Amino acid sequence: LTQVFENFQNKPLDMENFDRLWVNTDEVRGQRKIINILKRRLKANAAGSMKILFAGHRGCGKSTELLRLEREIHDDFLILRFSVVRELDFLNLNYIELFITLMEKLFEFVTKQSKIKLQKKLLKNISDWTASKEIEEIKDKYMGIDVNAGASGEFSALTLFKFFIKFRASAKASSSIKETIKRNVEPKLSELISNCNLLIN
C-alpha cells in the first residue's frame, strides 16, 4: 500500500501523459457518445451563449474529460485553459480576483494569437475601466504603476495584460489590500464582467 501511494499522482492528466494513461470508461459510465454530443452542441452554438457545467466529486474525471474534449475540438475552436487552483488561493478565493485573473489570462491569450485583432472600442472601454477613480486609487496606493497608452495614444492588449498581471499580484499581497480592492472594484464589477464577456466574444 505504501508503494501505491509513492507512485500515485493525485492530479489530473495533462497533454503529455494523456495517451499513455487515459482509459476509456464511457461504457461503464453509460456515456458512450457524450463527447460527440458535446462537440455537436459546441459547433452548433454560433452565438457562443451556451454554458456547460462539469460536476462531480474529486477524482471522478472532470478535468480528464475536459482535456479529452479539448483534444477533440482543438481544430475547430480557440481554447483557453487555466486552473483556478493553481492561479489563486483556493481557500481564500474572492470572486473579484477570479474576474481579474480571467482578464489577465484572456489578454495573455490574445497577445500570443497573431490572428486575433481586438476592436479599438473594446480596448478603450477596458482602458477607461482601468482609469476610473476607484481603480486609480488602487493603482496609486498598491500597484505603483501608471498604465500609459502607447505612442499612438491607444491601449494595446499587451498593455492591458501587464496591468491585470500587476493588479492580480497586488490583490495577493495582504488582507487589507484585498478589502480595498473589494470595496473599490465591487461598484465597477458589472462593467468588468461585461467587458470580460465582450472580450471572450
Side-chain angles (χ1 to χ4, degrees):
L1 192 57
T2 304
Q3 288 177 325
V4 168
F5 278 109
E6 286 173 359
N7 290 283
F8 178 67
Q9 293 183 349
N10 187 17
K11 62 181 184 179
L13 296 182
D14 55 33
M15 285 294 189
E16 291 177 14
N17 59 30
F18 189 89
D19 288 325
R20 185 169 56 88
L21 298 177
W22 179 72
V23 176
N24 189 327
T25 59
D26 288 354
E27 191 169 343
V28 293
R29 288 180 171 186
Q31 58 182 43
R32 290 180 189 167
K33 299 178 182 176
I34 192 69
I35 289 290
N36 290 333
I37 291 168
L38 286 173
K39 280 166 56 179
R40 279 198 305 274
R41 286 185 181 174
L42 287 168
K43 286 181 180 179
N45 185 43
S49 58
M50 183 173 62
K51 315 289 187 293
I52 300 171
L53 173 66
F54 277 59
H57 61 80
R58 184 176 182 181
C60 71
K62 300 181 297 296
S63 298
T64 299
E65 289 305 313
L66 280 170
L67 186 61
R68 179 182 172 196
L69 179 61
E70 179 180 339
R71 288 162 57 92
E72 293 277 338
I73 65 172
H74 77 275
D75 289 335
D76 300 304
F77 293 92
L78 288 172
I79 299 164
L80 168 60
R81 175 170 39 100
F82 72 94
S83 168
V84 173
V85 175
R86 286 194 202 111
E87 299 293 336
L88 296 167
D89 179 2
F90 196 63
L91 298 175
N92 191 21
L93 182 62
N94 181 308
Y95 61 93
I96 292 171
E97 289 178 79
L98 181 61
F99 283 104
I100 291 167
T101 303
L102 182 54
M103 290 298 276
E104 175 199 329
K105 295 298 176 184
L106 285 166
F107 276 114
E108 179 182 24
F109 185 77
V110 167
T111 59
K112 293 178 180 176
Q113 300 288 330
S114 59
K115 293 181 181 179
I116 297 177
K117 303 295 179 205
L118 296 178
Q119 294 177 351
K120 290 178 182 178
K121 185 172 187 258
L122 174 60
L123 289 171
K124 184 179 184 316
N125 286 347
I126 298 170
S127 300
D128 289 348
W129 184 89
T130 69
S132 65
K133 67 176 183 179
E134 295 89 348
I135 308 306
E136 284 290 342
E137 183 185 337
I138 295 168
K139 288 194 290 191
D140 292 343
K141 281 186 179 178
Y142 303 113
M143 295 171 69
I145 61 166
D146 181 22
V147 180
N148 294 312
S152 63
E154 295 175 358
F155 279 82
S156 68
L158 182 60
T159 305
L160 290 165
F161 168 49
K162 290 176 181 176
F163 167 79
F164 281 105
I165 285 177
K166 290 181 179 178
F167 202 172
R168 179 161 71 104
S170 66
K172 284 182 170 181
S174 74
S175 57
S176 63
I177 297 172
K178 282 178 182 283
E179 282 304 311
T180 304
I181 286 174
K182 185 175 180 184
R183 185 183 67 246
N184 285 29
V185 176
E186 206 153 34
K188 308 287 293 175
L189 187 61
S190 60
E191 283 179 50
L192 181 64
I193 293 170
S194 174
N195 285 325
C196 188
N197 284 326
L198 288 170
L199 184 56
I200 291 168
N201 288 336

